[in-house]
Amino acid sequence: MPVQTPTLVVVSGPPATGKTTLARELALHLGCPAIIRDEIKQGLAMNHPGHDPDGSDPLNIPALEAFFATITVLLRAGSTVVAEAAFQDRLWRPGLEPLTTFADLRIIRCTTPAPTIARRITDRARTDSHRVAHGDKALLADMDAGVYDPDQFVPISLDAPNLLVDTSDGYVPGIAEIQRFLLRPDREGYPG
């Protein structure tokens, strides 16, 4: 029986742009697993009492390695995968390039205005106890000090179909259009 090349759906963008919510929704609609980098890191933090996510976080490298290893195992098995992380190009590209030899890559970049990002980070830091594994407070402080600007995010630079999704209020384009982009067999009609 012929086997199709699995699709790797990458959901990227700055922190708090709605990536995790979109990744879960897409995985549900597609019927495939969603691999969420922050959830892997949260699982690691559970076993490191006193973990401090600020500064040089010792869990970042193991989380990165586990993230790409998990994606690789699933793709090699023939499973389509939705992968989500706030990595910029310098972290995504080295992990993704080898996967393009046996997976069809589609990149979604989530975007929303900086004030919305700040509000979302503030809300989740206050209401989500699992966020202690992440440096949300430091990120907010950096935004306030002008050290971090989400508009300076460096998107993935691989030659693959890309779709920009505004997550300010729902999704623009909508889920149906995003699904068409993900399932389209060619690159026609989408910038790459």
Side-chain angles (χ1 to χ4, degrees), residues 137-158:
K137 290 178 185 171
L139 186 57
L140 281 173
D142 286 349
M143 285 179 77
D144 287 343
V147 176
Y148 173 72
D149 179 0
D151 291 333
Q152 299 303 312
F153 182 85
V154 179
I156 300 167
S157 64
L158 290 172

Side-chain angles (χ1 to χ4, degrees), residues 6-144:
T7 300
L8 173 55
V9 177
V10 170
V11 183
S12 68
T17 53
K19 296 179 307 302
T20 303
T21 303
L22 178 58
R24 285 187 181 126
E25 189 163 346
L26 291 174
L28 183 65
H29 281 280
L30 295 171
C32 68
I35 307 304
I36 312 295
R37 182 269 184 187
D38 282 358
E39 291 177 357
I40 292 171
K41 187 174 177 191
Q42 287 162 205
L44 292 169
M46 288 175 63
N47 299 307
H48 290 81
H51 169 253
D52 181 8
D54 297 324
S56 179
D57 188 336
L59 298 183
N60 284 338
I61 297 300
L64 174 81
E65 291 171 351
F67 177 76
F68 281 112
T70 303
I71 294 165
T72 301
V73 166
L74 290 168
L75 290 171
R76 284 200 182 278
S79 177
T80 287
V81 176
V82 175
E84 180 274 323
F87 301 145
Q88 296 192 54
D89 180 66
R90 70 180 178 81
L91 292 177
W92 268 120
R93 195 169 10 97
L96 291 176
E97 281 177 325
L99 303 178
T100 61
T101 62
F102 55 91
D104 183 19
L105 180 62
R106 295 283 193 267
I107 300 169
I108 294 173
R109 183 166 53 96
C110 295
T111 185
T112 196
T116 303
I117 289 173
R119 188 189 81 246
R120 288 176 180 175
I121 293 172
T122 302
D123 290 348
R124 74 184 185 189
R126 187 178 8 176
T127 61
D128 185 350
S129 63
H130 297 296
R131 292 302 306 176
V132 297
H134 310 285
D136 287 340
K137 290 178 185 171
L139 186 57
L140 281 173
D142 286 349
M143 285 179 77
D144 287 343

